[in-house]
Amino acid sequence: MRARTMSSNHASSGEKLSRPGILFYIFLTDEKALEKLRVNAIPLSVQKPEKGYPLIFRDLLPSLRLIGIDAFPHNNLLYFMFGNNQKSIINDLRITLDRFYTNSKDALTYTWRTPSLEELISYDNPSHFVITRSLLYSYFKRTWRNKSRIILLRRSMVREGLRVYLTCEDVASSSEYNYRICTGLRILFEVTPKHRGYLWFDIITQAFEENEIDRETKPLSHREMKTLSKRLSINLYDKYLQETRMNPRDRAEKINDLLKNYLNVDNVISINDYIYNPLGERFEEITLKFKKLHDIS
């Protein structure tokens, strides 16, 4: 079994990368850029999955992102890359892991040790592909957190991509609830047979119900939008349909607008992280550059 790749009928360097009849954005690395990706890892063994994994995804990973670390757990290891090369970040990592381990009680086992170096082969190893994809999504959530609202799907649906909502329009509100329609980007990472990584962007639109008291946000189904539109005499569903009905040209222009004006992305997306080499006791920079494949036309 190999990591999943996307294919259709636009050829580039002998690889099929786009879908017929759809205009969208692809950003592509050089060949063999993801042949081997070096990352750090430390043992983190989950003893009670039903308790341990929810705690990791709800508490640990967001805490690590706040101190500049992109991480993902897999097969009793926590894989990660650092957002800077200051040695203090290793101590911050240890403090965060120690605190998390103490608060999680008996859900997992963990003993601090100097992070090891691990190699990820994203195309040939499905597990390595999942780890690489998750680390990149974490990077975007960390670096874009002040520009956008990140929505991560359920773990079983993560291969559908990372959802980044950039613009929101209030449709109606009451003393307790606020209804809004948000538009943004769905970002999907894949790997080609030539060990090139690529990022695929498309428009995503969703209506939400926000509880003003509990600050909880709930995505609304089509049925719920129709029911609310009738009950509250608002045009929630009509506005949602208006936002989603775009021809290919309009979708392409909207993607370009969101990338440039909200995420400051033009022709290149650079991933800049660091790994710690315990043998040399030094940080090494990891850089992945995704270049726009072509102008949309």
Side-chain angles (χ1 to χ4, degrees):
M1 180 180 177
R2 292 191 169 190
R4 188 171 62 96
T5 58
M6 190 182 296
S7 65
S8 68
N9 56 358
H10 177 91
S12 174
S13 301
E15 296 174 287
K16 296 180 179 181
L17 297 173
S18 65
R19 293 177 174 175
I22 299 177
L23 297 176
F24 60 92
Y25 276 70
I26 289 177
F27 288 76
L28 190 69
T29 67
D30 293 334
E31 285 188 21
K32 298 187 177 180
L34 284 168
E35 188 171 24
K36 291 181 180 179
L37 177 65
R38 295 202 301 168
V39 299
N40 286 119
I42 199 166
L44 188 70
S45 179
V46 178
Q47 303 300 307
K48 296 182 178 180
E50 70 283 356
K51 180 181 178 183
Y53 282 112
L55 286 174
I56 288 174
F57 283 91
R58 187 192 69 200
D59 298 334
L60 178 60
L61 301 189
S63 296
L64 291 175
R65 278 195 292 273
L66 286 175
I67 60 174
I69 298 172
D70 304 308
F72 185 75
H74 188 76
N75 282 353
N76 296 326
L77 286 173
L78 182 70
Y79 295 86
F80 54 89
M81 296 190 293
F82 297 101
N84 66 62
N85 58 356
Q86 304 299 312
K87 285 205 170 181
S88 59
I89 200 170
I90 296 181
N91 188 53
D92 293 339
L93 170 66
R94 180 172 185 173
I95 291 172
T96 303
L97 289 174
D98 287 345
R99 184 186 303 120
F100 175 74
Y101 171 65
T102 300
N103 294 338
S104 64
K105 298 180 180 178
D106 57 350
L108 51 90
T109 59
Y110 146 80
T111 301
W112 172 260
R113 78 174 191 194
T114 301
S116 64
L117 274 180
E118 305 288 334
E119 288 186 341
L120 301 178
I121 305 175
S122 302
Y123 180 71
D124 294 318
N125 188 313
S127 294
H128 288 185
F129 168 75
V130 171
I131 297 165
T132 301
R133 178 182 62 191
S134 300
L135 291 176
L136 292 183
Y137 287 173
S138 176
Y139 178 91
F140 292 134
K141 286 194 279 185
R142 177 170 60 83
T143 57
W144 289 347
R145 68 176 180 266
N146 294 326
K147 301 178 182 179
S148 58
R149 180 173 166 216
I150 307 290
I151 302 294
L152 187 63
L153 299 179
R154 298 187 305 272
R155 289 182 60 211
S156 61
M157 294 287 287
V158 73
R159 66 180 180 179
E160 293 300 322
L162 180 68
R163 298 188 176 194
V164 180
Y165 292 97
L166 298 165
T167 65
C168 290
E169 177 186 358
D170 289 335
V171 178
S173 62
S174 64
S175 59
E176 185 176 355
Y177 294 101
N178 184 55
Y179 304 97
R180 56 178 51 191
I181 296 172
C182 297
T183 301
L185 297 167
R186 180 161 72 99
I187 306 159
L188 188 65
F189 168 76
E190 295 288 357
V191 181
T192 77
K194 292 188 177 181
H195 300 182
R196 305 171 83 172
Y198 72 93
L199 297 169
W200 171 84
F201 290 84
D202 194 14
I203 294 294
I204 188 74
T205 303
Q206 179 66 57
F208 292 97
E209 175 186 83
E210 295 187 339
N211 188 314
E212 296 288 345
I213 298 175
D214 298 331
R215 308 305 300 174
E216 293 183 353
T217 301
K218 171 191 172 185
L220 296 171
S221 67
H222 284 247
R223 176 179 293 181
E224 288 172 322
M225 282 187 277
K226 291 177 182 179
T227 301
L228 284 168
S229 296
K230 292 180 180 179
R231 179 164 60 85
L232 301 177
S233 298
I234 58 177
N235 58 348
L236 175 63
Y237 190 60
D238 289 339
K239 278 188 170 292
Y240 169 80
L241 292 178
Q242 183 179 346
E243 289 293 324
T244 57
R245 288 172 176 167
M246 296 184 191
N247 61 45
R249 171 62 55 191
D250 290 341
R251 293 181 76 84
E253 291 178 355
K254 185 68 173 180
I255 293 170
N256 183 64
D257 173 62
L258 294 175
L259 284 172
K260 284 188 174 182
N261 298 322
Y262 289 85
L263 296 178
N264 298 319
V265 170
D266 194 359
N267 294 318
V268 177
I269 297 173
S270 292
I271 308 294
N272 301 104
D273 265 341
Y274 294 86
I275 56 170
Y276 181 72
N277 188 331
L279 296 179
E281 296 185 347
R282 67 179 186 275
F283 285 93
E284 298 175 0
E285 188 172 9
I286 298 293
T287 301
L288 288 174
K289 288 190 175 181
F290 295 81
K291 300 176 184 178
K292 187 188 293 185
L293 180 60
H294 57 75
D295 290 329
I296 304 302
S297 60

